[in-house]
Amino acid sequence: MRSHGATTKRAQRLASIGRLLDAAQELFVSQGYRQTNLDQIASAAGLTKGAVYFYFRSKETVLLELLERVQAIVVDQARKVVAGTGPGAVDRLVAFLNQQSKLGVTHRDAVLLLILMSLEFSERKGPVRNMLRRVYRQLYALVERMVQDGQRSGEIRADVRARELSAIVMAIHDGTFLEWYRRSPALSGPEIVRALRGVMLTGISRAPARGLRGGVRRIQARAA
Amino acid sequence: MRSHGATTKRAQRLASIGRLLDAAQELFVSQGYRQTNLDQIASAAGLTKGAVYFYFRSKETVLLELLERVQAIVVDQARKVVAGTGPGAVDRLVAFLNQQSKLGVTHRDAVLLLILMSLEFSERKGPVRNMLRRVYRQLYALVERMVQDGQRSGEIRADVRARELSAIVMAIHDGTFLEWYRRSPALSGPEIVRALRGVMLTGISRAPARGLRGGVRRIQARAA
Amino acid sequence: MRSHGATTKRAQRLASIGRLLDAAQELFVSQGYRQTNLDQIASAAGLTKGAVYFYFRSKETVLLELLERVQAIVVDQARKVVAGTGPGAVDRLVAFLNQQSKLGVTHRDAVLLLILMSLEFSERKGPVRNMLRRVYRQLYALVERMVQDGQRSGEIRADVRARELSAIVMAIHDGTFLEWYRRSPALSGPEIVRALRGVMLTGISRAPARGLRGGVRRIQARAA
Amino acid sequence: MRSHGATTKRAQRLASIGRLLDAAQELFVSQGYRQTNLDQIASAAGLTKGAVYFYFRSKETVLLELLERVQAIVVDQARKVVAGTGPGAVDRLVAFLNQQSKLGVTHRDAVLLLILMSLEFSERKGPVRNMLRRVYRQLYALVERMVQDGQRSGEIRADVRARELSAIVMAIHDGTFLEWYRRSPALSGPEIVRALRGVMLTGISRAPARGLRGGVRRIQARAA
DNA sequence: AATGAATGAGCATTCATTCAT
DNA sequence: GATGAATGAATGCTCATTCAT
């Protein structure tokens, strides 16, 4: 009845699933999970509610598969980038932040989905919260390791514990995305990203103790 | 049936309203606005659903009145504190951040309500979004003014526009609260607040150009 | 909006619950549990679906409360009647069957509900099946005890184990009700009841062994 | 993909239909018609939903064809057995009951399907109900004729009208099957069948009037 | 001042059925 | 001969809201 470009069953299946997931992602991000109903998702994908149930077991499953995709995009990529950079901890952190900034442009909704769902599901136990915790734990661990390395090597300030310092890094990171999301047209994307990086790196750098001045400047140069 | 300390009608009225608003605030923060239903609010306040409609026109009105309270707590207080400090822009910013940190302890839910609702309602037009925008505009303006002053006086880095820099300040601020909310037991409250202040102030300070070293150190000292 | 005879809240509550349960019972019996939807129940009671949920937690709860009523009618009454008759086992059995026959007229739907639901839920575990099993276990036990007593005293044939013999009694009992339900207009109620009693009592009586002839006749006289 | 012994199209066709009908019968009996969905039937037969529609016009048609099979098994066989026995009415009745008992073992689900569907569809008009009525009418007629013959010849009690007496016979018959179905593991199959026959035959036999004692005994002997 | 009864719109989910391949 | 994709109607349940008392 409905005719799509490629007509093999397999292609149609993938196309429909893709359209449904894309539609769901956009709606979950812009309206929240709970406010989005399946009719909206389905019709945004050019299908009907029934089709959603043909491909997914439930509304929750749609979100879980979406988060699976997001995990691959956000966590796996970040790990790869971090692993491929070195040797300094700050270098890796810069690479990480650059990667996230790029994601913010190429996969804005994927990143926002992660952040927004982590808030919407923060107090509701169930598979979604578990999945989200898993993803965040991985990100936290990645950042915390870099911060610890940096503290050991003297690149990063040691007057705050690694746990709290990396929490700040994540907080700044998520906070900036949310701010951007909230005030979208009022803020310049590239500029805010650049500012973010500069502020964060300066902020976490080792305080320029006497005789070591220039440390901050050096870091800021790398981040530019 | 129910016994309240003061039994004047007026007192009882105020007490009921207070209990309802408190209950609503806690539930909206912990579960979100949409997931919270009026039965939960009412019974958490020791009343029934009908009573909510006796005091408020609708569920939305409950939130609006709550946001009115929050505005008084967050915006008005911040303005007063900022106005009563001086003369430097960074001094005022430090005072502002101190005030917010205190609020985070004394009025945790009020601050979180503001942040969380601003996300939940970000794409839903209506009176709530308007109210939230009003509150945030005031906060943005307050911070932006301080940043501009600091840039003019040379205390604050000028390589990023004031709008984006103050967006970063707000982002860090909100992001830290959310991070704290999300990982509550895993993070040390006082420590993260101290870290936040240190990181942010160092980060936004003027890059310690040659001959001006010590600027960052001075700022960090003030923030400690 | 809707005005019912008695207007105290308590009376209205009881009236609505009563109407809902009555409507549900009739519909469950005539159409089955699963084929009956809440709209039918509600509108048969002059209410809307929402009202059902005001009084009951779920559709299943409606059935459970109905079965509670039925238990009181069927089991408790039967026990009382049996306890109040004596001394012979057959006398008690006759009293039991008389009681059930009366119920079949005064509470036709209650009895049928029990039987039909026991079939519809026989393979579906859950609270309904548990409840049904509880009720049936009590009836089985009641009958089996009478049969055992009768076998001991020689009034009832002993060539079949009490368990199977009382199963037959229950089978005949339920089967007759179902037959009546299935062929309603074609069968004469009183006559079938009389026939049932006669057939069953003769059938389970001690086989008229040599020298004991007349046993069956005596029993049939009591049953008439 | 699927390998069947005989690979002629015709054979495969018949095999698939057979598997579907068998699967449907088992599921209809164990869960009821309405609770069984086509996916369950199809996958129990190792096929997919679409295949059901390839062979049958609708879910209802599946049941109708099943009932056709059942009719052949239950009614036609019973008629044949009754016709081949004689000369006494009770002899024929015994033969009928023996046949049904045998069916209960060899075609348990077929017999149960008939009984259970007659209850599930009793108040729902449509082709299924018509079919069921047709089958039952034939069985009723068969039994009623035997009872009438027995009453005329004096073998069977005449104090109850033939219609009601044969209703009792059918009631006992169906009731025993249902009881067995409901309490499967708790009852001994052979024993209950033997008991049933004994009870029923004694029960419907001519009341052992004075001078005719032994009648019951004779009948019970035949039924053993 | 507050309650309890009732409504109706909205929503996730199930399922028989259709149809192109 | 059979499958997989998709539909649409039905249904149990939730919940903000209204209103008589």
Side-chain angles (χ1 to χ4, degrees):
Chain A
M1 188 168 269
R2 195 175 299 284
S3 82
H4 304 292
T7 353
T8 66
K9 294 229 165 148
R10 171 141 188 86
Q12 199 178 88
R13 177 186 184 82
L14 290 176
S16 292
I17 291 180
R19 288 207 316 283
L20 285 170
L21 287 176
D22 289 346
Q25 179 165 280
E26 192 187 324
L27 288 161
F28 288 165
V29 166
S30 65
Q31 312 186 343
Y33 172 81
R34 208 148 191 279
Q35 341 246 9
T36 302
N37 68 44
L38 288 173
D39 266 323
Q40 294 172 326
I41 295 174
S43 70
L47 294 167
T48 60
K49 235 181 344 179
V52 179
Y53 281 90
F54 180 71
Y55 290 114
F56 304 92
R57 262 204 318 289
S58 66
K59 185 184 176 187
E60 198 180 47
T61 307
V62 176
L63 178 53
L64 285 169
E65 298 220 3
L66 227 30
L67 290 175
E68 208 88 46
R69 269 188 3 178
V70 170
Q71 181 179 32
I73 293 170
V74 176
V75 180
D76 300 356
Q77 292 292 331
R79 276 182 174 153
K80 215 174 288 176
V81 164
V82 166
T85 317
V90 168
D91 292 316
R92 291 209 300 279
L93 204 50
V94 169
F96 171 76
L97 293 172
N98 278 337
Q99 161 66 10
Q100 295 305 101
S101 304
K102 267 184 222 145
L103 279 187
V105 176
T106 58
H107 294 83
R108 189 193 96 119
D109 282 357
V111 178
L112 283 173
L113 185 76
L114 197 57
I115 301 173
L116 291 170
M117 293 303 107
S118 81
L119 297 172
E120 187 163 347
F121 284 84
S122 110
E123 314 268 308
R124 258 206 283 171
K125 44 189 135 165
V128 173
R129 192 176 69 163
N130 296 342
M131 174 85 199
L132 286 162
R133 290 204 168 167
R134 212 158 43 241
V135 174
Y136 265 96
R137 230 187 340 251
Q138 295 172 319
L139 284 179
Y140 289 141
L142 190 64
V143 171
E144 202 168 332
R145 233 174 297 129
M146 291 188 280
V147 168
Q148 284 169 337
D149 290 351
Q151 288 182 323
R152 244 179 264 123
S153 72
E155 289 173 282
I156 290 180
R157 63 194 301 169
D159 58 337
V160 179
R161 288 194 313 206
R163 159 144 302 187
E164 273 71 26
L165 204 50
S166 54
I168 296 281
V169 171
M170 287 301 294
I172 296 179
H173 174 256
D174 285 11
T176 306
F177 269 105
L178 291 178
E179 194 68 14
W180 190 23
Y181 162 69
R182 210 158 39 188
R183 300 177 69 195
S184 249
L187 297 177
S188 150
E191 183 144 11
I192 203 174
V193 163
R194 203 161 51 77
L196 163 66
R197 222 157 45 208
V199 168
M200 194 185 319
L201 290 171
T202 314
I204 66 166
S205 73
R206 194 177 96 151
R210 191 192 306 251
L212 259 175
R213 63 218 132 80
V216 166
R217 242 173 310 147
R218 233 172 33 239
I219 285 171
Q220 285 184 337
R222 259 186 286 182
Chain B
M1 186 170 271
R2 196 175 302 288
S3 82
H4 303 291
T7 341
T8 44
K9 298 235 161 172
R10 172 143 187 84
Q12 180 162 337
R13 179 182 180 84
L14 289 176
S16 291
I17 291 180
R19 287 206 317 281
L20 285 170
L21 287 176
D22 290 346
Q25 178 166 280
E26 191 187 326
L27 288 162
F28 288 164
V29 166
S30 66
Q31 312 185 345
Y33 173 79
R34 201 136 195 282
Q35 340 246 11
T36 301
N37 67 41
L38 288 175
D39 266 323
Q40 294 173 322
I41 296 174
S43 72
L47 294 168
T48 60
K49 232 181 347 182
V52 179
Y53 280 89
F54 182 73
Y55 290 115
F56 304 92
R57 258 207 321 291
S58 67
K59 185 185 176 187
E60 200 180 46
T61 307
V62 176
L63 177 54
L64 285 169
E65 298 219 3
L66 226 32
L67 290 175
E68 208 87 49
R69 270 192 357 182
V70 171
Q71 180 178 34
I73 293 170
V74 177
V75 181
D76 299 356
Q77 293 291 331
R79 276 182 174 152
K80 215 173 288 175
V81 164
V82 166
T85 318
V90 169
D91 292 317
R92 291 210 300 281
L93 203 51
V94 169
F96 170 76
L97 292 173
N98 278 338
Q99 162 67 10
Q100 295 305 101
S101 304
K102 267 184 222 145
L103 277 187
V105 177
T106 58
H107 294 81
R108 190 193 96 120
D109 281 356
V111 177
L112 283 174
L113 185 77
L114 196 57
I115 301 174
L116 292 169
M117 292 304 107
S118 82
L119 296 171
E120 187 163 346
F121 284 84
S122 120
E123 314 267 308
R124 260 205 284 171
K125 40 189 133 162
V128 173
R129 192 176 69 163
N130 296 342
M131 175 85 200
L132 285 161
R133 291 204 167 166
R134 211 158 44 240
V135 174
Y136 265 95
R137 228 185 347 249
Q138 294 172 321
L139 284 178
Y140 288 142
L142 190 64
V143 171
E144 204 169 330
R145 232 174 296 129
M146 290 188 280
V147 168
Q148 283 170 336
D149 290 351
Q151 288 182 325
R152 240 178 268 121
S153 72
E155 289 173 284
I156 290 180
R157 63 195 300 169
D159 58 338
V160 179
R161 287 195 314 206
R163 159 145 302 185
E164 273 72 26
L165 204 50
S166 53
I168 296 282
V169 171
M170 287 302 294
I172 295 178
H173 174 256
D174 285 11
T176 307
F177 269 105
L178 290 177
E179 194 68 14
W180 190 22
Y181 162 68
R182 209 160 39 188
R183 301 177 69 194
S184 253
L187 296 177
S188 149
E191 182 145 10
I192 204 174
V193 165
R194 203 161 50 77
L196 163 68
R197 223 158 44 208
V199 168
M200 194 185 322
L201 290 171
T202 314
I204 66 168
S205 73
R206 193 179 92 151
R210 189 190 308 251
L212 260 174
R213 62 218 134 79
V216 167
R217 243 174 309 150
R218 229 170 39 237
I219 286 172
Q220 286 185 334
R222 260 185 285 180
Chain C
M1 187 168 269
R2 193 175 301 284
S3 82
H4 303 291
T7 354
T8 65
K9 294 230 165 147
R10 172 142 187 84
Q12 200 179 86
R13 176 183 184 84
L14 290 177
S16 292
I17 291 180
R19 287 207 317 282
L20 285 170
L21 287 176
D22 290 346
Q25 178 165 281
E26 192 187 325
L27 288 162
F28 288 164
V29 165
S30 66
Q31 312 186 343
Y33 173 80
R34 205 145 191 279
Q35 340 246 8
T36 302
N37 68 43
L38 288 173
D39 267 323
Q40 294 172 326
I41 295 174
S43 69
L47 294 167
T48 60
K49 234 183 344 180
V52 179
Y53 281 91
F54 180 71
Y55 290 114
F56 304 93
R57 261 204 317 290
S58 67
K59 186 185 176 187
E60 199 181 46
T61 306
V62 176
L63 178 52
L64 284 169
E65 298 220 1
L66 227 30
L67 290 175
E68 208 88 46
R69 270 190 1 179
V70 171
Q71 181 179 32
I73 294 172
V74 177
V75 181
D76 299 355
Q77 293 292 330
R79 276 183 175 152
K80 216 174 289 177
V81 164
V82 166
T85 318
V90 168
D91 291 317
R92 290 208 302 280
L93 203 50
V94 169
F96 171 75
L97 293 172
N98 278 339
Q99 161 66 10
Q100 295 305 99
S101 304
K102 266 184 222 145
L103 279 186
V105 176
T106 58
H107 295 83
R108 189 193 96 120
D109 281 356
V111 177
L112 283 173
L113 185 76
L114 196 57
I115 301 174
L116 291 169
M117 292 304 107
S118 82
L119 296 172
E120 187 162 348
F121 284 84
S122 108
E123 313 269 308
R124 259 206 282 170
K125 45 188 131 162
V128 173
R129 193 177 69 163
N130 295 342
M131 174 85 200
L132 285 162
R133 291 202 168 169
R134 212 160 40 242
V135 174
Y136 266 95
R137 231 189 340 254
Q138 294 172 321
L139 284 178
Y140 288 141
L142 190 63
V143 171
E144 204 169 332
R145 231 173 299 129
M146 291 188 281
V147 168
Q148 284 170 335
D149 289 351
Q151 288 182 323
R152 242 178 267 122
S153 72
E155 289 173 283
I156 290 180
R157 64 195 298 169
D159 58 338
V160 178
R161 288 194 314 205
R163 159 144 304 186
E164 272 71 26
L165 204 50
S166 53
I168 296 281
V169 171
M170 288 301 294
I172 295 178
H173 175 256
D174 285 10
T176 306
F177 270 105
L178 291 177
E179 194 67 15
W180 190 22
Y181 162 68
R182 212 160 35 190
R183 302 176 69 194
S184 252
L187 297 177
S188 149
E191 182 144 10
I192 204 174
V193 163
R194 203 162 50 79
L196 163 68
R197 223 159 43 208
V199 169
M200 194 184 320
L201 290 171
T202 313
I204 67 168
S205 72
R206 194 177 95 151
R210 190 191 308 251
L212 260 174
R213 62 219 136 79
V216 167
R217 244 176 309 149
R218 228 170 40 235
I219 286 171
Q220 285 184 336
R222 258 184 288 180
Chain D
M1 186 169 270
R2 196 174 304 288
S3 81
H4 303 291
T7 340
T8 44
K9 298 235 162 173
R10 171 144 187 82
Q12 181 163 336
R13 181 183 178 82
L14 289 176
S16 291
I17 292 180
R19 288 208 314 282
L20 284 170
L21 287 176
D22 289 346
Q25 178 166 281
E26 191 187 327
L27 288 162
F28 288 164
V29 166
S30 66
Q31 313 184 345
Y33 173 79
R34 199 135 196 284
Q35 341 244 11
T36 301
N37 67 41
L38 287 175
D39 266 323
Q40 293 172 324
I41 295 173
S43 72
L47 294 168
T48 59
K49 233 182 344 182
V52 178
Y53 280 90
F54 183 73
Y55 291 115
F56 304 92
R57 258 205 322 290
S58 67
K59 185 185 177 186
E60 199 180 46
T61 308
V62 176
L63 178 53
L64 284 169
E65 298 219 3
L66 226 31
L67 289 175
E68 209 87 47
R69 271 191 359 181
V70 170
Q71 180 178 34
I73 293 171
V74 177
V75 181
D76 299 355
Q77 293 291 332
R79 275 183 174 150
K80 215 173 291 175
V81 164
V82 167
T85 318
V90 167
D91 292 317
R92 290 210 300 281
L93 203 50
V94 168
F96 170 76
L97 293 173
N98 278 339
Q99 162 66 11
Q100 294 305 101
S101 303
K102 267 185 221 144
L103 277 187
V105 176
T106 59
H107 294 81
R108 190 193 96 119
D109 282 357
V111 178
L112 283 172
L113 186 76
L114 196 57
I115 301 174
L116 292 169
M117 292 305 107
S118 82
L119 296 172
E120 188 163 347
F121 284 84
S122 119
E123 314 267 308
R124 260 206 286 171
K125 40 187 132 160
V128 173
R129 191 176 69 164
N130 296 342
M131 174 85 201
L132 285 162
R133 290 206 169 165
R134 210 157 45 240
V135 174
Y136 266 95
R137 229 186 343 251
Q138 294 172 321
L139 284 178
Y140 289 141
L142 190 64
V143 171
E144 203 169 331
R145 232 173 297 128
M146 292 188 279
V147 168
Q148 283 169 336
D149 289 352
Q151 287 182 324
R152 241 178 268 124
S153 73
E155 289 174 283
I156 291 179
R157 64 197 299 170
D159 58 339
V160 179
R161 287 196 313 207
R163 160 144 301 186
E164 273 71 26
L165 205 48
S166 53
I168 296 281
V169 171
M170 287 302 293
I172 296 178
H173 174 256
D174 285 11
T176 306
F177 269 104
L178 291 177
E179 193 69 13
W180 190 22
Y181 163 68
R182 209 161 37 189
R183 299 177 69 195
S184 251
L187 296 178
S188 150
E191 181 144 11
I192 204 174
V193 164
R194 202 163 50 78
L196 163 67
R197 224 159 42 211
V199 169
M200 195 185 320
L201 290 172
T202 314
I204 67 168
S205 72
R206 195 179 92 152
R210 190 190 307 250
L212 259 174
R213 65 215 132 81
V216 166
R217 241 175 310 151
R218 230 169 40 236
I219 286 171
Q220 284 184 338
R222 259 184 286 182

